[in-house]
């Protein structure tokens, strides 16, 4: 199979199911942003972080491929004529959400309670987490926009929302692990 097909040379691409849409369609933006997020999570996983976090991030990357595949499927063609689903992959389920919630709770056990907003930064690895969190929020916004036009599985929206929370807490945990400064945003007069 060649990597180039030339079928997108006119600015369209095919969804799972064969429907062709413009490459700037909100559905393409949504799953493209999930792909971007997955790349940033790979970057975080490549840092010197605890093995448990690496393992969790690897699981999240697998979940994001599922999310991307769901978003890349034309909802009108998601079910085949024989009644089977077009995508023969694991689904995002309530258990997938609980996985993230459990990881958030585990990481928060040793963190000081939040009393202020936190400025992103303090260490390169922490900054990568904040960038991933922002990309995750963008993918969520695009998926919500798509859902207003065409149905999106509710678990996908919930997963992206929960994942951004996870990435925020991961940034805080890695700040703690790396003994970096967590700088609080305290409103003051601008100079």
């Amino acid at each position: 199979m060649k990597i180039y097909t030339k079928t997108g040379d006119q600015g369209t691409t095919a969804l799972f199911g064969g429907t062709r849409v413009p490459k700037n369609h909100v559905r393409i933006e949504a799953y493209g942003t999930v792909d971007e997020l997955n790349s940033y999570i790979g970057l975080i996983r490549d840092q010197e972080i605890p093995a448990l976090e690496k393992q969790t991030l690897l699981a999240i990357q697998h979940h994001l491929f599922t999310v991307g595949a769901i978003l890349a499927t034309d909802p009108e063609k998601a079910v085949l004529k024989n009644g089977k689903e077009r995508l023969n992959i694991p689904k995002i389920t309530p258990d997938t959400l609980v996985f993230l919630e459990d990881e958030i709770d585990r990481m928060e056990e040793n963190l000081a309670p939040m009393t202020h907003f936190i400025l992103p930064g303090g260490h390169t690895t922490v900054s990568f987490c904040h960038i991933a969190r922002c990309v995750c929020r963008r993918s969520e916004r695009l998926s919500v926009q798509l859902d207003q036009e065409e149905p999106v599985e509710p678990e996908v929206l919930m997963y992206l929302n929960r994942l951004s929370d996870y990435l925020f807490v991961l940034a805080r945990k890695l700040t703690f692990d790396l003994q970096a400064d967590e700088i609080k945003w305290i409103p003051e007069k601008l100079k």
Side-chain angles (χ1 to χ4, degrees):
M1 180 172 130
K2 288 190 176 194
I3 192 68
Y4 58 90
T5 62
K6 302 181 184 181
T7 58
D9 288 353
Q10 302 303 312
T12 65
T13 192
L15 301 175
F16 288 138
T19 304
R20 293 201 72 79
V21 296
K23 289 187 177 185
N24 65 347
H25 188 281
V26 67
R27 183 172 292 283
I28 309 308
E29 290 289 342
Y31 76 72
T33 304
V34 168
D35 187 34
E36 179 183 354
L37 171 60
N38 208 337
S39 296
Y40 275 111
I41 289 176
L43 182 62
I44 298 166
R45 194 169 52 82
D46 289 342
Q47 305 305 303
E48 293 298 321
I49 62 174
L52 181 55
E53 273 62 56
K54 285 184 182 232
Q55 183 181 3
T56 300
L57 290 170
L58 184 60
I60 288 168
Q61 286 188 288
H62 283 278
H63 298 161
L64 287 175
F65 260 85
T66 297
V67 167
I70 291 167
L71 291 171
T73 302
D74 181 345
E76 292 183 12
K77 297 183 178 177
V79 178
L80 300 170
K81 290 180 183 179
N82 63 7
K84 290 188 176 185
E85 291 191 28
R86 179 172 297 282
L87 292 177
N88 186 19
I89 59 173
K91 292 290 200 173
I92 301 298
T93 66
D95 287 343
T96 318
L97 299 171
V98 169
F99 169 75
L100 287 179
E101 291 165 358
D102 288 347
E103 288 301 308
I104 291 168
D105 292 343
R106 178 188 60 78
M107 290 188 297
E108 283 189 317
E109 286 177 0
N110 296 319
L111 297 177
M114 278 194 44
T115 57
H116 295 81
F117 287 109
I118 297 167
L119 297 177
H123 189 281
T124 303
T125 303
V126 172
S127 295
F128 290 150
C129 291
H130 283 290
I131 291 168
R133 174 185 55 79
C134 292
V135 174
C136 186
R137 285 291 187 202
R138 179 164 27 99
S139 70
E140 180 185 17
R141 290 190 303 271
L142 288 164
S143 296
V144 167
Q145 180 182 347
L146 174 62
D147 187 51
Q148 292 170 350
E149 298 174 19
E150 303 173 11
V152 172
E153 292 183 18
E155 293 80 9
V156 165
L157 301 177
M158 289 186 272
Y159 185 82
L160 293 171
N161 184 45
R162 207 74 80 253
L163 180 56
S164 64
D165 295 336
Y166 167 85
L167 291 166
F168 177 77
V169 175
L170 178 62
R172 291 198 71 219
K173 182 200 182 290
L174 294 178
T175 296
F176 178 82
D177 289 351
L178 297 163
Q179 299 178 353
D181 290 331
E182 185 172 79
I183 301 172
K184 296 174 181 162
W185 177 66
I186 300 172
E188 56 185 55
K189 265 190 175 176
L190 297 178
K191 297 178 184 180

